[in-house]
Amino acid sequence: MRLTTASSHSQESILATNKMLRNTYMLLSMTLLFSAAMAGMAMYLNMPHPGMIITLVGYFGLLFLTNKFSNSSLGLLFVFALTGFMGLTLGPILNMYLNAFSNGHELVMTALGGTGVIFLGLSGYALTTRKDFSFIAGFLMVGILVAFIAGLAAMLFSIPALSLAVSAMFVLLMSGMILFQTSAIIHGGETNYIMATVSLYVSIYNLFLSLLQLLAAFGGDE
């Protein structure tokens, strides 16, 4: 009886994990497509960048609402509002790179391809090995806080070298976040597919921008 009960619980756990993974990756795919469409619209309309203050207020405000309503249908509305807003802020940035560099299209596509390879590779590794990466949570939290503050300083005081260092830090930190979040889904540390989607989306978004900045700095033709 005990063996049967344990086996039943194990099967239920596997089914729950598979459902969580399926829902997360389905929603992630939809939000990435929606965000890309919003970025494309912003580029087509040549919309100006809203600025750092509006971007931060919009991002953290929508992130708060997404988290607050993550257990209801409103959570889906806010996750699309958040990723759509981030897509709108991405469009002007991409236009800037396309206009500033003669090989801008190659830089964007290379950054996009690199982001895809890193995400698929790390997610595949976490899913295949089923290794628990919860031990890097503290390091990631501290690292992201330090990188965020350094990024603001680089922007406010116009320090190119610091900005590049922050981009390199974000590539490593966002890669760690992908491993951590995927591991959390597998091992039951994250059971809300809306919040899992947001975490992975933000990691992909920041990874792409960081790679793009590094590629432009070292391989951009003005």
Side-chain angles (χ1 to χ4, degrees):
M1 176 65 106
R2 290 179 180 176
L3 289 175
T4 303
T5 302
S7 177
S8 177
H9 284 317
S10 177
Q11 289 177 355
E12 289 177 2
S13 177
I14 292 172
L15 289 174
T17 298
N18 290 339
K19 182 180 179 181
M20 177 69 179
L21 285 168
R22 184 172 62 253
N23 289 342
T24 299
Y25 285 115
M26 184 180 297
L27 183 58
L28 179 63
S29 299
M30 294 170 65
T31 53
L32 286 171
L33 289 173
F34 181 65
S35 184
M38 291 298 100
M41 184 182 74
M43 294 173 70
Y44 178 76
L45 297 176
N46 200 26
M47 294 173 60
H49 194 275
M52 181 175 65
I53 295 177
I54 294 177
T55 298
L56 291 177
V57 171
Y59 168 69
F60 284 110
L62 290 169
L63 182 61
F64 170 78
L65 291 171
T66 302
N67 183 61
K68 183 177 181 180
F69 296 101
S70 60
N71 292 312
S72 70
S73 57
L74 279 175
L76 289 172
L77 175 65
F78 286 118
V79 77
F80 276 100
L82 172 62
T83 55
F85 173 75
M86 294 182 73
L88 288 175
T89 64
L90 179 62
I93 297 175
L94 294 180
N95 270 341
M96 179 192 70
Y97 279 98
L98 294 178
N99 294 326
F101 300 96
S102 59
N103 61 337
H105 288 86
E106 288 82 0
L107 294 175
V108 171
M109 294 308 297
T110 302
L112 185 62
T115 301
V117 169
I118 292 173
F119 174 73
L120 292 175
L122 293 176
S123 296
Y125 176 76
L127 289 169
T128 302
T129 64
R130 303 187 75 83
K131 184 177 180 180
D132 188 356
F133 286 95
S134 60
F135 66 93
I136 64 175
F139 168 77
L140 291 174
M141 291 298 293
V142 173
I144 290 172
L145 179 60
V146 171
F148 180 73
I149 294 173
L152 289 178
M155 190 180 300
L156 291 173
F157 300 106
S158 299
I159 309 175
L162 180 58
S163 182
L164 289 177
V166 169
S167 293
M169 287 177 63
F170 263 106
V171 169
L172 295 175
L173 290 168
M174 293 305 103
S175 297
M177 278 298 297
I178 292 170
L179 284 173
F180 171 77
Q181 188 60 61
T182 306
S183 171
I185 295 172
I186 296 171
H187 297 283
E190 178 61 82
T191 57
N192 187 296
Y193 72 96
I194 290 178
M195 295 313 300
T197 296
V198 170
S199 177
L200 289 173
Y201 174 89
V202 171
S203 298
I204 292 170
Y205 182 95
N206 286 322
L207 178 60
F208 170 70
L209 281 183
S210 299
L211 284 175
L212 183 57
Q213 184 173 8
L214 290 173
L215 287 170
F218 296 106
D221 296 327
E222 297 184 2

